[in-house]
Structures are given as C-alpha cells and as structure tokens.
Amino acid sequence: MKTGLSLFFIKRAFQDMISNRFLHIVTIVTIALSILIVSAFGLFYTNINEIMMSWKKGVKIMAYLNKDVEKIQLPELKQKILSLYGVSSVLFIPKEEALEKLKQQMKRQVSLFENLKENPLPDVFEVRMIPSTQNWGKVEILAAQIELFPQVAGVEYGQRWLSRVSGIFNLFKFAGTAMCIVFFMASVFIVANTIRLLFFSRREEFEIMRLVGATDGFIKAPFYIEGMIQGAIGGLAGILILFIIYFVITSNVDPGISSGFFTMRFLPVSTSIGILCGSMFSGWLGCYLSLKQFLKY
Amino acid sequence: MTENKAENAIIRMFHVHKRYGKKNALADITLDVEQNELLLVTGPSGAGKSTLLRLLYFGEALTEGQILIDGMNLSRISKNRIPLVRRQFGIIFQDYKLIPTKTVYENIALVLEVKGEKTRFIQKKVGSVLRTVGMEERINAFPPSLSGGEQQRIAVARAVVGDPKIILADEPTGSLDSESADVIMSLLKGVHDRGATVIIATHDKEIIHNTGGRVIYLKDGCLMEPPMPEPQTDKKKTITL
Ligand SMILES: Nc1ncnc2c1ncn2[C@@H]1O[C@H](COP(=O)(O)OP(=O)(O)OP(=O)(O)O)[C@@H](O)[C@H]1O
Ligand SMILES: [Mg+2]
C-alpha cells in the first residue's frame, strides 16, 4: 500500500512535468550548468590534489654537516635527529657518494670534476618525514630544529616553492568551495522559482483538492518528487557533459606528455554520486523553501 | 426531547457567529442535525446559507460559538486533522468546483485517492457512481466541455463517491431546468435513503415543497425557526402526500 501510494505520487509528478515541460526543461538546463561548473571544479581539484600529494610525499630535509664532524659522532647525531617529532627516517649520505651521484647526473660536464683535488661536498643526512605530520609549518619547524645541532652547517628543504604553491592551492580550494555554494544556491533558487510558478498557476486546483479532504502532504508530495527529479536529471546531465569534455581532452592530449607528468583522472565515483545527491538535495530544498509559505490554514 | 435529539445528532451548532468585518453573515445559530436527517436550509439571497455550510466543512473558521461534527469540536481540532473532517462530507458546491484541467474520472477519483484507496477499487467505484448519475459516457471529458446540468451531476457523483456520512449540497439545482433538477434531487434522495445525512441549501420553492424533510429558514444570518418551519413543514407534507 505504501509503495502503491508512492508510485502514485511519482506517476503524478511525471505527468505534471510532461504537461509543464518547457518550465522543467529550462530548470533542468540551469541545474545542469551549475552542476557542470561545480563538478569541473571538483575534477580540477581532484587532479591537482593528487599532484600535490605526490609532491608532498617527496618532501625531505637535507642537513649538511660541518667538515670537522668525526665519523664516530655520526650514530649519536643520527639518533638525535630520529627522535625529533615527525621524522620517519634518517639516511646518511657520505660526501663521496654524493660526489659520485653528482658526477653521474652531470656526465657531459665530467671535465669539471677532473681538476678537483678535494671533494667540495659535505656529508649529508637526508631526513624524511612521516606523511601524516606533513604540513609546511611543521617542515619549517623541523628544519630549524635540525639546524640547531652544532654539527649541522645548514639545512635545505628543496621544494621550498611548494609551500607557495600549496598556499595558492588552498586559496583556490577556498574560492572553489565558495563557488560551489553559490551554484548550489542558484540551483535551489531556480527550483524554488519553478515550483512556485507551477504551484501558483494551479492554486485553485489545490484549493479544491483540499476541500475534498486532501492533506497538504498529498498535494505537496509530487512537487518534492518533481524537484528531486529535476535535481537528478540536471545533476546527471552536468556530470555527463563534464565526462564528455574530459574524454575529448584526454584522448586528444599526447599520451607522452600526460603519462610522463601525471595521468589525468575523472572524478571518483563517490564524488560523482555525492554531486548527484547534492543536486537532488538542491531540488528538494528549493521545493521545501517555495512550498513552506503555501498551504497555510 | 432535546436530549434524545442530542444523542442522535451528527452535527451540533451552539451559538455560532460568523462575521466578515462588521457584517454579520451568521448570528447566534444553534442547531442540531440528526443522523440520516434531510435538512433544507432556505432563505433569501445573502441570508447566510452558503456560509453555514462552509463553516460545517471548515471551509472557514467560525468567529464565535462551537460546532461539533460527529463529536469532533471544530474549534479545537488541530490543523492536520481538518482533512479528516472534510472526508466526512460529500460537498456539492454552489459553483461546482470541478478541476477544469482534469477529466471527469480524475475529478471524481480524487476523493478516493486522497484517502489512499487502491486504483482498482477507485476505478470500480467511479465507474459505478458515474452510471448512477448517467454520465458514464463522459468519463474522459473535461468539465468545461460539459453543460451546466452535466457538471452538476459530476459534482453530485464526486460528493457521493466516498460514501460520506454527510452530504452538503449548496444550491444543487441552482441554474438547472426542472428536468435536470429532478434528476439531481432524486440522486440526493437516493443517498439519503441509503443512510446519509443530507443538508441542502436552496431557495427553490418547488424543491422545498417536493422534497420533504425539515426546513429551516435563514434571514440576515439569523435562524427563524419558530415562526417559519413548523407550519411550512406541515403544509409541505400535505402537498407531497
Ligand atoms: N468571504 C466573504 N467576505 C465578505 N462577506 C462575505 C463573504 N462570504 C459571504 N459574505 C457575506 O455574507 C452574507 C451571506 O452570504 P452567503 O453566501 O452565505 O449567502 P447565501 O444565503 O448563500 O446567498 P445565495 O442564496 O445568494 O447563495 C452575504 O451578505 C455575503 O455578502
Ligand atoms: Mg449561497
């Protein structure tokens, strides 16, 4: 009986939508555009975030040691660094090894090294951090702590520029979230407006329904279903359009470039479903807001 | 005598007033309607007949007084129970109030849909009630394409389809020729015979004379019970006989 009743309402909702298709199409297109923009942001965010994460994993602090540090001191120093908060591993790279690496990296300029009488490079501790404790403030604090050891001549945490990128990224995240809210509100508003128009154009009919004993719920239910259907169709359309755009872009980009750098990914299924639910919720909320003021005794 | 009446009363009105601004549409109406009674409410235009019916089905709230419908006090019930009160009634409105954008079938089925009845039951019921009013061929017509008398019959069909305890009919024969009026009146009498309480507001003298049942007379919102009805009912009875 319950399912029979909800089927009845769904049927009524579809009938209403078909008889007012122009209004509904305009609404759905508007929702679809909002969702397209929101999910495009989501796509961008997902991919940027992934790049950022892979960069962050590579974060390391190089601690250059003074030339006069004795080898016997090394294990103790290593232990001290290891005991600092957030450190996951400490690797000792002797200056000889460092020079070998450098030579390999600069094979063409081998002549540069030929005249070296003495290894100019210092010994190095390569300090890696526990990923979960990584944020830029912590990296800086840790670097400063390491620099305080008398045996340490200086520290370097190569991807210093990353902090600036990270800042921009955070700003972008903030702007994107604000944008999502604006478009969510736009969806809510457009649904509210459509439902209001539909409701107003049929208020005599609803008055009659009430006189023959219809509850407010009976009258409103199809509108809620319509609002949610609008949200669902608009949301699906928006995500689908984004997928088509994504597909066209990724299949036209030279795979050499994309695979070498990073592979672009589409929105995860969970995010897509989340956006769809948000879209349906905007339909429901629009309906709620516009019907709240009607049907008062 | 009044106590006996009260036991059987399905509608009780105590000192009911209805004011529109300063205008007294109904003034101090006290009235009991018994179960399965046929009550005719008459009086000149603007006397308050429609207003009286509207108060009964909670089309509007009363200004002062009490109305009990089958034991429910209308001034006390919560908003969400108003639909339940209205489902006790089958109402024939003075202006029909059919939904022009819905078919005859949909208009009548609505009464059962709001109660959550099953589709198969609704189809059967609507079909049979349309046969009773002789409109089964126009089941898919839209009300604006029907004549006044036909719309009136649909309105009657809608009023009786839910087997309500009480029928309220506001000028059910308002603008009909005497033949259509007879059809409507015999339909209403049929419902009354099957046990419903029927209240008809009308100023059609012929109906008052031919129908039988109790007659109350309204004038300027006041119930003129003592002088008018007693001799009139007697007269009518002799005429109908
Ligand atoms: N909504 C309203 N606002 C203001 N005045 C109203 C309203 N409804 C009814 N009235 C007034 O109340 C009085 C009674 O009206 P009502 O419609 O009950 O009369 P009636 O007896 O049904 O008349 P008729 O025979 O013409 O249908 C009238 O004077 C009318 O003008
Ligand atoms: Mg009237």
Side-chain angles (χ1 to χ4, degrees):
Chain A
M1 155 103 202
K2 267 266 184 249
T3 50
L5 204 62
S6 45
L7 269 178
F8 167 78
F9 284 129
I10 291 169
K11 211 177 103 194
R12 241 174 72 198
F14 271 109
Q15 280 169 353
D16 287 355
M17 288 182 80
I18 289 163
S19 51
N20 292 292
R21 50 196 166 289
F22 180 73
L23 203 54
H24 280 106
I25 288 169
V26 172
T27 310
I28 287 169
V29 167
T30 315
I31 295 174
L33 287 177
S34 299
I35 293 300
L36 176 62
I37 292 165
V38 168
S39 53
F41 166 76
L43 182 65
F44 198 51
Y45 172 81
T46 314
N47 284 288
I48 295 283
N49 200 38
E50 199 143 288
I51 297 169
M52 295 289 295
M53 286 313 276
S54 67
W55 282 341
K56 276 189 177 172
K57 267 188 202 128
V59 170
K60 55 189 175 190
I61 298 169
M62 306 301 273
Y64 300 103
L65 303 184
N66 284 322
K67 300 232 155 156
D68 52 9
V69 174
E70 300 289 329
K71 293 258 182 221
I72 339 145
Q73 286 180 283
L74 292 177
E76 194 197 341
L77 183 59
K78 184 176 174 176
Q79 211 48 50
K80 276 182 183 161
I81 294 175
L82 254 177
S83 66
L84 291 173
Y85 175 75
V87 174
S88 77
S89 69
V90 178
L91 182 70
F92 179 70
I93 303 169
K95 52 190 173 194
E96 298 77 22
E97 197 182 319
L99 188 65
E100 271 313 303
K101 243 190 207 164
L102 196 64
K103 274 183 182 168
Q104 260 170 24
Q105 275 171 13
M106 305 177 74
K107 267 181 189 150
R108 285 186 205 158
Q109 291 94 340
V110 154
S111 54
L112 279 176
F113 299 99
E114 275 169 5
N115 298 327
L116 284 178
K117 285 179 189 130
E118 196 183 336
N119 186 347
L121 299 174
D123 291 327
V124 177
F125 272 128
E126 189 187 284
V127 181
R128 285 186 185 269
M129 293 181 72
I130 299 166
S132 61
T133 63
Q134 275 181 15
N135 70 50
W136 287 102
K138 294 227 178 80
V139 175
E140 273 169 16
I141 290 168
L142 185 62
Q145 282 173 328
I146 293 169
E147 205 165 13
L148 283 180
F149 289 111
Q151 299 91 331
V152 175
V155 293
E156 192 185 283
Y157 36 111
Q159 289 123 322
R160 214 183 261 267
W161 55 274
L162 207 52
S163 76
R164 211 178 291 157
V165 173
S166 193
I168 293 168
F169 182 60
N170 282 340
L171 196 72
F172 174 76
K173 211 153 68 172
F174 178 74
T177 310
M179 202 173 69
C180 282
I181 292 170
V182 168
F183 279 101
F184 178 77
M185 274 161 43
S187 293
V188 171
F189 177 76
I190 187 85
V191 172
N193 211 40
T194 311
I195 300 289
R196 198 194 311 272
L197 276 173
L198 286 176
F199 200 90
F200 210 65
S201 69
R202 293 169 57 192
R203 62 193 183 286
E204 273 166 49
E205 176 184 340
F206 298 139
E207 196 45 49
I208 294 171
M209 287 169 76
R210 295 172 70 197
L211 289 176
V212 302
T215 57
D216 283 2
F218 182 89
I219 295 170
K220 287 177 178 177
F223 284 97
Y224 279 106
I225 296 171
E226 276 170 48
M228 281 164 71
I229 291 173
Q230 286 175 346
I233 297 177
L236 268 179
I239 293 172
L240 200 70
I241 294 167
L242 184 70
F243 184 76
I244 292 167
I245 294 171
Y246 160 84
F247 185 77
V248 168
I249 290 175
T250 47
S251 57
N252 284 331
V253 164
D254 180 7
I257 295 173
S258 62
S259 66
F261 188 40
F262 74 103
T263 36
M264 196 169 160
R265 282 182 30 187
F266 193 63
L267 291 172
V269 177
S270 59
T271 310
S272 306
I273 290 173
I275 290 174
L276 196 61
C277 288
S279 179
M280 284 174 78
F281 177 66
S282 74
W284 182 89
L285 188 64
C287 210
Y288 173 78
L289 291 178
S290 75
L291 292 186
K292 204 174 57 158
Q293 68 206 70
F294 288 110
L295 294 173
K296 287 200 173 139
Y297 285 90
Chain B
M1 193 188 132
T2 33
E3 274 173 9
N4 274 348
K5 248 184 153 183
E7 264 177 36
N8 271 334
I10 191 163
I11 296 171
R12 308 200 73 186
M13 301 178 82
F14 300 99
H15 305 290
V16 171
H17 292 257
K18 177 67 192 178
R19 281 185 277 275
Y20 293 106
K22 276 183 188 161
K23 167 138 189 87
N24 248 327
L26 285 177
D28 201 26
I29 305 286
T30 298
L31 175 72
D32 279 356
V33 184
E34 284 174 66
Q35 263 186 57
N36 198 23
E37 190 172 358
L38 177 57
L39 180 73
L40 293 159
V41 183
T42 184
S45 187
K49 305 182 292 295
S50 298
T51 305
L52 181 78
L53 300 193
R54 261 204 307 279
L55 294 188
L56 293 180
Y57 64 78
F58 217 118
E60 282 174 306
L62 44 74
T63 314
E64 209 179 291
Q66 310 270 325
I67 296 179
L68 295 170
I69 305 289
D70 207 6
M72 280 186 290
N73 189 334
L74 290 194
S75 334
R76 293 246 194 94
I77 60 163
S78 63
K79 272 187 208 170
N80 53 15
R81 295 195 61 195
I82 293 173
L84 299 181
V85 172
R86 289 180 179 157
R87 287 177 202 171
Q88 313 255 342
F89 293 102
I91 311 164
I92 302 164
F93 299 94
Q94 195 162 6
D95 55 352
Y96 315 144
K97 292 207 193 298
L98 298 172
I99 301 170
T101 52
K102 291 197 186 292
T103 63
V104 164
Y105 175 84
E106 289 165 339
N107 265 283
I108 299 171
L110 185 62
V111 175
L112 301 172
E113 284 167 353
V114 301
K115 289 202 242 176
E117 302 284 9
K118 284 184 177 150
T119 312
R120 211 173 301 154
F121 172 78
I122 295 175
Q123 283 168 344
K124 227 173 73 186
K125 196 79 197 186
V126 174
S128 95
V129 82
L130 276 175
R131 240 168 284 130
T132 317
V133 300
M135 292 290 295
E136 67 268 42
E137 277 143 47
R138 311 303 304 273
I139 190 164
N140 291 317
F142 288 90
S145 70
L146 302 175
S147 76
E150 288 171 328
Q151 290 189 37
Q152 191 71 278
R153 283 197 237 176
I154 301 306
V156 173
R158 184 181 63 185
V160 302
V161 74
D163 294 322
K165 287 187 194 153
I166 309 162
I167 299 277
L168 303 178
D170 196 354
E171 303 287 357
T173 57
S175 49
L176 304 183
D177 59 81
S178 58
E179 225 170 285
S180 311
D182 286 346
V183 173
I184 299 291
M185 285 315 294
S186 59
L187 283 168
L188 287 175
K189 273 191 250 177
V191 185
H192 175 244
D193 290 342
R194 272 176 272 132
T197 307
V198 178
I199 302 177
I200 303 170
T202 181
H203 45 212
D204 185 331
K205 293 216 166 58
E206 224 173 297
I207 287 179
I208 299 165
H209 287 252
N210 294 335
T211 309
R214 181 155 68 117
V215 181
I216 59 168
Y217 187 80
L218 282 178
K219 192 167 185 292
D220 295 329
C222 296
L223 195 55
M224 303 276 152
E225 210 168 351
M228 293 299 291
E230 299 293 347
Q232 265 201 353
T233 18
D234 286 342
K235 258 186 220 164
K236 254 172 284 130
K237 269 174 190 161
T238 47
I239 288 165
T240 26
L241 283 169

